[in-house]
Amino acid sequence: MLVGKVIDSIVSTRKNERLVGNKFLIVEPLPCMGENRDRLVAIDNVGAGIGEIVLVAVGSAARAGCGHPDAPIDAAIVGIVDNGERL
Amino acid sequence: MLVGKVIDSIVSTRKNERLVGNKFLIVEPLPCMGENRDRLVAIDNVGAGIGEIVLVAVGSAARAGCGHPDAPIDAAIVGIVDNGERL
Amino acid sequence: MLVGKVIDSIVSTRKNERLVGNKFLIVEPLPCMGENRDRLVAIDNVGAGIGEIVLVAVGSAARAGCGHPDAPIDAAIVGIVDNGERL
Amino acid sequence: MLVGKVIDSIVSTRKNERLVGNKFLIVEPLPCMGENRDRLVAIDNVGAGIGEIVLVAVGSAARAGCGHPDAPIDAAIVGIVDNGERL
Amino acid sequence: MLVGKVIDSIVSTRKNERLVGNKFLIVEPLPCMGENRDRLVAIDNVGAGIGEIVLVAVGSAARAGCGHPDAPIDAAIVGIVDNGERL
């Protein structure tokens, strides 16, 4: 999993129907975790908000682990990091 | 998911038969999302056109989520971003 | 999917038995698609030859989509790009 | 698999329920293995501690191989490297 | 698949039980294949030895294709390249 900060959200009115009902958040990987990852869009599985430090699962884990086995989802916020600001 | 701009399309007459009927679009990841991703070819799942800002799912999500579980597809455009030009 | 040029082939006499019968081609991603991808070895699913511009599917798509669900294949050439030289 | 050093742990009180009971460790890939990987968060499958050199499996292997097929896990520590300090 | 040279092996006494019986080899991707890949640890599926040039499958292909569907394996050596020294 990667650790990042929620910096924004995006809206998509015209989308695959299996994505309906999901919130799309833009996550910026924390610089302290390295420089090789780009920002990504993840669905929100835990009620995360802008500014929070979160744990993001990518790949098939995002579907299998969040109750969306048949949706075109490749990234999901699966935890809010406690005391994330210390990282 | 990544966010990118549809910049071109490609045609492939000789291809795996399970790909027949799909439109192949070249997507350029938005620079504001980072510099580590290359352009990629994604099938179009939502009727996207050249110049639109789109949401792309990669990996098995592209097959499982778009009704092509047995096709050799590893990227699919699954949403058009509203007000994409603000990004 | 990525777009690349077939530049060479490799032969492997001693290999996993589920790979027997496949042709292994070295594909160089086109520079116009970005600079972050390395050359890779893909099995040939469409009768591609050296010098052709091809579409390559990576990950589980290469197995699931090419009739090799149980083979250790992570990349497959799944289309020949028409007018590939324009890219 | 990648080889890295466990450098820290993180706690997430608010998380996907299928993650409950797992320990989240931050792993720093060893520099001798290359410079293209970032630090990542992996669940601990073998009782690893801070400072140990470990083997990490990523992707669906982390779920399938650690008894968590339905959890949003994309990285797991699956071995402690003997004499890891020699690497 | 990637092409690399086997440069070392590692031993892990304390590991996930589904990994028992596998040999772990460190593979260095060949420089002629690009500069974006790091060294990785792969299980040996074909009897490879130090110094040999091998074909490595990564991701779920390594499990599905090598008879270890339920093991935490994300990379496997699946072929020895003939005349690998010419690459």
Side-chain angles (χ1 to χ4, degrees), chain A residues 19-44:
Chain A
L19 291 174
V20 174
N22 285 293
K23 194 161 72 173
F24 301 105
L25 297 178
I26 299 180
V27 178
E28 174 159 273
L30 290 193
C32 68
M33 296 292 283
E35 309 258 311
N36 296 304
R37 291 191 187 99
D38 281 348
R39 292 176 180 183
L40 76 169
V41 174
I43 62 155
D44 177 25

PDB file of all heavy atoms in Angstrom, chain A residues 19-44:
ATOM      1  N   LEU A  19     -19.360   2.314 -11.593  1.00  0.00           N
ATOM      2  CA  LEU A  19     -18.647   3.279 -10.741  1.00  0.00           C
ATOM      3  C   LEU A  19     -19.611   4.210 -10.021  1.00  0.00           C
ATOM      4  O   LEU A  19     -19.209   4.953  -9.117  1.00  0.00           O
ATOM      5  CB  LEU A  19     -17.693   4.125 -11.604  1.00  0.00           C
ATOM      6  CG  LEU A  19     -16.499   3.400 -12.193  1.00  0.00           C
ATOM      7  CD1 LEU A  19     -15.728   4.323 -13.130  1.00  0.00           C
ATOM      8  CD2 LEU A  19     -15.575   2.909 -11.077  1.00  0.00           C
ATOM      9  N   VAL A  20     -20.886   4.162 -10.404  1.00  0.00           N
ATOM     10  CA  VAL A  20     -21.861   5.066  -9.815  1.00  0.00           C
ATOM     11  C   VAL A  20     -21.901   4.899  -8.290  1.00  0.00           C
ATOM     12  O   VAL A  20     -21.899   3.780  -7.777  1.00  0.00           O
ATOM     13  CB  VAL A  20     -23.265   4.808 -10.416  1.00  0.00           C
ATOM     14  CG1 VAL A  20     -24.321   5.647  -9.697  1.00  0.00           C
ATOM     15  CG2 VAL A  20     -23.259   5.133 -11.911  1.00  0.00           C
ATOM     16  N   GLY A  21     -21.917   6.024  -7.588  1.00  0.00           N
ATOM     17  CA  GLY A  21     -22.000   5.980  -6.130  1.00  0.00           C
ATOM     18  C   GLY A  21     -20.659   6.086  -5.435  1.00  0.00           C
ATOM     19  O   GLY A  21     -20.602   6.194  -4.209  1.00  0.00           O
ATOM     20  N   ASN A  22     -19.584   6.055  -6.195  1.00  0.00           N
ATOM     21  CA  ASN A  22     -18.258   6.173  -5.580  1.00  0.00           C
ATOM     22  C   ASN A  22     -17.765   7.620  -5.611  1.00  0.00           C
ATOM     23  O   ASN A  22     -18.099   8.383  -6.507  1.00  0.00           O
ATOM     24  CB  ASN A  22     -17.242   5.304  -6.336  1.00  0.00           C
ATOM     25  CG  ASN A  22     -17.410   3.840  -6.025  1.00  0.00           C
ATOM     26  OD1 ASN A  22     -17.174   3.420  -4.913  1.00  0.00           O
ATOM     27  ND2 ASN A  22     -17.857   3.064  -7.004  1.00  0.00           N
ATOM     28  N   LYS A  23     -16.952   7.965  -4.628  1.00  0.00           N
ATOM     29  CA  LYS A  23     -16.330   9.285  -4.583  1.00  0.00           C
ATOM     30  C   LYS A  23     -14.907   9.099  -5.096  1.00  0.00           C
ATOM     31  O   LYS A  23     -14.231   8.141  -4.718  1.00  0.00           O
ATOM     32  CB  LYS A  23     -16.329   9.774  -3.121  1.00  0.00           C
ATOM     33  CG  LYS A  23     -16.028  11.239  -2.969  1.00  0.00           C
ATOM     34  CD  LYS A  23     -16.480  11.766  -1.603  1.00  0.00           C
ATOM     35  CE  LYS A  23     -15.591  11.271  -0.475  1.00  0.00           C
ATOM     36  NZ  LYS A  23     -15.902  11.898   0.829  1.00  0.00           N
ATOM     37  N   PHE A  24     -14.489   9.980  -5.981  1.00  0.00           N
ATOM     38  CA  PHE A  24     -13.137   9.881  -6.549  1.00  0.00           C
ATOM     39  C   PHE A  24     -12.238  10.943  -5.938  1.00  0.00           C
ATOM     40  O   PHE A  24     -12.485  12.139  -6.113  1.00  0.00           O
ATOM     41  CB  PHE A  24     -13.184  10.091  -8.072  1.00  0.00           C
ATOM     42  CG  PHE A  24     -14.055   9.112  -8.784  1.00  0.00           C
ATOM     43  CD1 PHE A  24     -15.305   9.483  -9.260  1.00  0.00           C
ATOM     44  CD2 PHE A  24     -13.628   7.802  -8.975  1.00  0.00           C
ATOM     45  CE1 PHE A  24     -16.117   8.565  -9.921  1.00  0.00           C
ATOM     46  CE2 PHE A  24     -14.438   6.878  -9.629  1.00  0.00           C
ATOM     47  CZ  PHE A  24     -15.678   7.259 -10.104  1.00  0.00           C
ATOM     48  N   LEU A  25     -11.206  10.514  -5.262  1.00  0.00           N
ATOM     49  CA  LEU A  25     -10.304  11.462  -4.615  1.00  0.00           C
ATOM     50  C   LEU A  25      -8.916  11.403  -5.248  1.00  0.00           C
ATOM     51  O   LEU A  25      -8.445  10.324  -5.647  1.00  0.00           O
ATOM     52  CB  LEU A  25     -10.207  11.146  -3.117  1.00  0.00           C
ATOM     53  CG  LEU A  25     -11.537  11.293  -2.347  1.00  0.00           C
ATOM     54  CD1 LEU A  25     -11.341  10.897  -0.881  1.00  0.00           C
ATOM     55  CD2 LEU A  25     -12.075  12.720  -2.435  1.00  0.00           C
ATOM     56  N   ILE A  26      -8.285  12.564  -5.348  1.00  0.00           N
ATOM     57  CA  ILE A  26      -6.915  12.614  -5.873  1.00  0.00           C
ATOM     58  C   ILE A  26      -5.966  12.516  -4.683  1.00  0.00           C
ATOM     59  O   ILE A  26      -6.080  13.277  -3.716  1.00  0.00           O
ATOM     60  CB  ILE A  26      -6.650  13.921  -6.652  1.00  0.00           C
ATOM     61  CG1 ILE A  26      -7.611  14.007  -7.855  1.00  0.00           C
ATOM     62  CG2 ILE A  26      -5.198  13.981  -7.122  1.00  0.00           C
ATOM     63  CD1 ILE A  26      -7.448  15.270  -8.699  1.00  0.00           C
ATOM     64  N   VAL A  27      -5.074  11.557  -4.750  1.00  0.00           N
ATOM     65  CA  VAL A  27      -4.125  11.327  -3.657  1.00  0.00           C
ATOM     66  C   VAL A  27      -2.704  11.625  -4.142  1.00  0.00           C
ATOM     67  O   VAL A  27      -2.299  11.177  -5.218  1.00  0.00           O
ATOM     68  CB  VAL A  27      -4.191   9.857  -3.168  1.00  0.00           C
ATOM     69  CG1 VAL A  27      -3.156   9.609  -2.070  1.00  0.00           C
ATOM     70  CG2 VAL A  27      -5.597   9.522  -2.668  1.00  0.00           C
ATOM     71  N   GLU A  28      -2.003  12.384  -3.326  1.00  0.00           N
ATOM     72  CA  GLU A  28      -0.599  12.679  -3.632  1.00  0.00           C
ATOM     73  C   GLU A  28       0.277  11.843  -2.691  1.00  0.00           C
ATOM     74  O   GLU A  28       0.235  12.034  -1.467  1.00  0.00           O
ATOM     75  CB  GLU A  28      -0.317  14.161  -3.399  1.00  0.00           C
ATOM     76  CG  GLU A  28       1.157  14.486  -3.553  1.00  0.00           C
ATOM     77  CD  GLU A  28       1.365  15.958  -3.825  1.00  0.00           C
ATOM     78  OE1 GLU A  28       1.313  16.347  -4.993  1.00  0.00           O
ATOM     79  OE2 GLU A  28       1.547  16.723  -2.865  1.00  0.00           O
ATOM     80  N   PRO A  29       1.058  10.922  -3.245  1.00  0.00           N
ATOM     81  CA  PRO A  29       1.925  10.107  -2.390  1.00  0.00           C
ATOM     82  C   PRO A  29       2.837  11.020  -1.565  1.00  0.00           C
ATOM     83  O   PRO A  29       3.323  12.036  -2.072  1.00  0.00           O
ATOM     84  CB  PRO A  29       2.726   9.289  -3.404  1.00  0.00           C
ATOM     85  CG  PRO A  29       1.801   9.182  -4.594  1.00  0.00           C
ATOM     86  CD  PRO A  29       1.149  10.545  -4.666  1.00  0.00           C
ATOM     87  N   LEU A  30       3.073  10.664  -0.309  1.00  0.00           N
ATOM     88  CA  LEU A  30       3.927  11.492   0.545  1.00  0.00           C
ATOM     89  C   LEU A  30       5.366  11.468   0.028  1.00  0.00           C
ATOM     90  O   LEU A  30       5.908  10.405  -0.267  1.00  0.00           O
ATOM     91  CB  LEU A  30       3.913  10.972   1.984  1.00  0.00           C
ATOM     92  CG  LEU A  30       2.629  11.142   2.785  1.00  0.00           C
ATOM     93  CD1 LEU A  30       2.906  10.877   4.275  1.00  0.00           C
ATOM     94  CD2 LEU A  30       2.020  12.526   2.624  1.00  0.00           C
ATOM     95  N   PRO A  31       5.986  12.640  -0.038  1.00  0.00           N
ATOM     96  CA  PRO A  31       7.379  12.705  -0.520  1.00  0.00           C
ATOM     97  C   PRO A  31       8.325  11.834   0.313  1.00  0.00           C
ATOM     98  O   PRO A  31       9.278  11.266  -0.221  1.00  0.00           O
ATOM     99  CB  PRO A  31       7.735  14.186  -0.372  1.00  0.00           C
ATOM    100  CG  PRO A  31       6.429  14.904  -0.415  1.00  0.00           C
ATOM    101  CD  PRO A  31       5.444  13.974   0.244  1.00  0.00           C
ATOM    102  N   CYS A  32       8.045  11.677   1.595  1.00  0.00           N
ATOM    103  CA  CYS A  32       8.935  10.888   2.449  1.00  0.00           C
ATOM    104  C   CYS A  32       8.918   9.411   2.088  1.00  0.00           C
ATOM    105  O   CYS A  32       9.743   8.637   2.562  1.00  0.00           O
ATOM    106  CB  CYS A  32       8.572  11.065   3.921  1.00  0.00           C
ATOM    107  SG  CYS A  32       6.974  10.344   4.350  1.00  0.00           S
ATOM    108  N   MET A  33       7.977   9.011   1.246  1.00  0.00           N
ATOM    109  CA  MET A  33       7.889   7.605   0.845  1.00  0.00           C
ATOM    110  C   MET A  33       8.629   7.358  -0.474  1.00  0.00           C
ATOM    111  O   MET A  33       8.684   6.222  -0.958  1.00  0.00           O
ATOM    112  CB  MET A  33       6.426   7.184   0.716  1.00  0.00           C
ATOM    113  CG  MET A  33       5.634   7.228   2.013  1.00  0.00           C
ATOM    114  SD  MET A  33       6.167   5.982   3.248  1.00  0.00           S
ATOM    115  CE  MET A  33       5.427   4.486   2.569  1.00  0.00           C
ATOM    116  N   GLY A  34       9.175   8.414  -1.071  1.00  0.00           N
ATOM    117  CA  GLY A  34       9.902   8.241  -2.322  1.00  0.00           C
ATOM    118  C   GLY A  34       9.388   9.155  -3.418  1.00  0.00           C
ATOM    119  O   GLY A  34       8.384   9.844  -3.237  1.00  0.00           O
ATOM    120  N   GLU A  35      10.080   9.140  -4.543  1.00  0.00           N
ATOM    121  CA  GLU A  35       9.790  10.105  -5.600  1.00  0.00           C
ATOM    122  C   GLU A  35       9.327   9.462  -6.894  1.00  0.00           C
ATOM    123  O   GLU A  35       9.260  10.106  -7.940  1.00  0.00           O
ATOM    124  CB  GLU A  35      11.072  10.896  -5.915  1.00  0.00           C
ATOM    125  CG  GLU A  35      11.767  11.487  -4.721  1.00  0.00           C
ATOM    126  CD  GLU A  35      11.484  12.960  -4.576  1.00  0.00           C
ATOM    127  OE1 GLU A  35      11.625  13.686  -5.572  1.00  0.00           O
ATOM    128  OE2 GLU A  35      11.101  13.388  -3.454  1.00  0.00           O
ATOM    129  N   ASN A  36       9.066   8.158  -6.859  1.00  0.00           N
ATOM    130  CA  ASN A  36       8.738   7.475  -8.110  1.00  0.00           C
ATOM    131  C   ASN A  36       7.253   7.279  -8.374  1.00  0.00           C
ATOM    132  O   ASN A  36       6.881   6.700  -9.379  1.00  0.00           O
ATOM    133  CB  ASN A  36       9.424   6.096  -8.135  1.00  0.00           C
ATOM    134  CG  ASN A  36      10.934   6.216  -8.134  1.00  0.00           C
ATOM    135  OD1 ASN A  36      11.496   6.863  -8.999  1.00  0.00           O
ATOM    136  ND2 ASN A  36      11.592   5.607  -7.147  1.00  0.00           N
ATOM    137  N   ARG A  37       6.433   7.754  -7.468  1.00  0.00           N
ATOM    138  CA  ARG A  37       4.994   7.557  -7.686  1.00  0.00           C
ATOM    139  C   ARG A  37       4.332   8.866  -8.065  1.00  0.00           C
ATOM    140  O   ARG A  37       4.634   9.904  -7.508  1.00  0.00           O
ATOM    141  CB  ARG A  37       4.334   7.043  -6.401  1.00  0.00           C
ATOM    142  CG  ARG A  37       4.713   5.628  -6.011  1.00  0.00           C
ATOM    143  CD  ARG A  37       3.776   5.171  -4.882  1.00  0.00           C
ATOM    144  NE  ARG A  37       4.172   3.893  -4.328  1.00  0.00           N
ATOM    145  CZ  ARG A  37       4.873   3.737  -3.207  1.00  0.00           C
ATOM    146  NH1 ARG A  37       5.283   4.795  -2.511  1.00  0.00           N
ATOM    147  NH2 ARG A  37       5.170   2.529  -2.775  1.00  0.00           N
ATOM    148  N   ASP A  38       3.348   8.772  -8.949  1.00  0.00           N
ATOM    149  CA  ASP A  38       2.584   9.941  -9.344  1.00  0.00           C
ATOM    150  C   ASP A  38       1.301  10.044  -8.521  1.00  0.00           C
ATOM    151  O   ASP A  38       0.918   9.105  -7.829  1.00  0.00           O
ATOM    152  CB  ASP A  38       2.195   9.823 -10.822  1.00  0.00           C
ATOM    153  CG  ASP A  38       3.345  10.175 -11.743  1.00  0.00           C
ATOM    154  OD1 ASP A  38       4.351  10.710 -11.257  1.00  0.00           O
ATOM    155  OD2 ASP A  38       3.224   9.900 -12.954  1.00  0.00           O
ATOM    156  N   ARG A  39       0.665  11.178  -8.638  1.00  0.00           N
ATOM    157  CA  ARG A  39      -0.655  11.331  -8.029  1.00  0.00           C
ATOM    158  C   ARG A  39      -1.586  10.328  -8.694  1.00  0.00           C
ATOM    159  O   ARG A  39      -1.413   9.996  -9.866  1.00  0.00           O
ATOM    160  CB  ARG A  39      -1.175  12.744  -8.282  1.00  0.00           C
ATOM    161  CG  ARG A  39      -0.385  13.807  -7.540  1.00  0.00           C
ATOM    162  CD  ARG A  39      -0.885  15.195  -7.898  1.00  0.00           C
ATOM    163  NE  ARG A  39      -0.107  16.211  -7.175  1.00  0.00           N
ATOM    164  CZ  ARG A  39      -0.353  17.512  -7.233  1.00  0.00           C
ATOM    165  NH1 ARG A  39      -1.355  17.957  -7.980  1.00  0.00           N
ATOM    166  NH2 ARG A  39       0.387  18.361  -6.553  1.00  0.00           N
ATOM    167  N   LEU A  40      -2.575   9.889  -7.967  1.00  0.00           N
ATOM    168  CA  LEU A  40      -3.522   8.946  -8.548  1.00  0.00           C
ATOM    169  C   LEU A  40      -4.927   9.237  -8.055  1.00  0.00           C
ATOM    170  O   LEU A  40      -5.111   9.972  -7.081  1.00  0.00           O
ATOM    171  CB  LEU A  40      -3.119   7.513  -8.255  1.00  0.00           C
ATOM    172  CG  LEU A  40      -3.345   6.933  -6.863  1.00  0.00           C
ATOM    173  CD1 LEU A  40      -3.120   5.432  -6.904  1.00  0.00           C
ATOM    174  CD2 LEU A  40      -2.404   7.577  -5.860  1.00  0.00           C
ATOM    175  N   VAL A  41      -5.911   8.673  -8.732  1.00  0.00           N
ATOM    176  CA  VAL A  41      -7.310   8.824  -8.325  1.00  0.00           C
ATOM    177  C   VAL A  41      -7.737   7.515  -7.688  1.00  0.00           C
ATOM    178  O   VAL A  41      -7.562   6.441  -8.277  1.00  0.00           O
ATOM    179  CB  VAL A  41      -8.206   9.133  -9.543  1.00  0.00           C
ATOM    180  CG1 VAL A  41      -9.673   9.143  -9.127  1.00  0.00           C
ATOM    181  CG2 VAL A  41      -7.818  10.473 -10.155  1.00  0.00           C
ATOM    182  N   ALA A  42      -8.265   7.604  -6.483  1.00  0.00           N
ATOM    183  CA  ALA A  42      -8.694   6.402  -5.761  1.00  0.00           C
ATOM    184  C   ALA A  42     -10.138   6.588  -5.311  1.00  0.00           C
ATOM    185  O   ALA A  42     -10.573   7.697  -5.026  1.00  0.00           O
ATOM    186  CB  ALA A  42      -7.795   6.174  -4.543  1.00  0.00           C
ATOM    187  N   ILE A  43     -10.889   5.492  -5.257  1.00  0.00           N
ATOM    188  CA  ILE A  43     -12.226   5.612  -4.687  1.00  0.00           C
ATOM    189  C   ILE A  43     -12.042   5.633  -3.173  1.00  0.00           C
ATOM    190  O   ILE A  43     -11.047   5.153  -2.638  1.00  0.00           O
ATOM    191  CB  ILE A  43     -13.179   4.464  -5.096  1.00  0.00           C
ATOM    192  CG1 ILE A  43     -12.652   3.112  -4.589  1.00  0.00           C
ATOM    193  CG2 ILE A  43     -13.397   4.442  -6.597  1.00  0.00           C
ATOM    194  CD1 ILE A  43     -13.755   2.093  -4.419  1.00  0.00           C
ATOM    195  N   ASP A  44     -13.047   6.189  -2.503  1.00  0.00           N
ATOM    196  CA  ASP A  44     -12.956   6.321  -1.051  1.00  0.00           C
ATOM    197  C   ASP A  44     -13.745   5.214  -0.379  1.00  0.00           C
ATOM    198  O   ASP A  44     -14.949   5.102  -0.579  1.00  0.00           O
ATOM    199  CB  ASP A  44     -13.509   7.682  -0.641  1.00  0.00           C
ATOM    200  CG  ASP A  44     -13.499   7.835   0.863  1.00  0.00           C
ATOM    201  OD1 ASP A  44     -12.687   7.163   1.534  1.00  0.00           O
ATOM    202  OD2 ASP A  44     -14.318   8.621   1.385  1.00  0.00           O
TER     203      ASP A  44
END
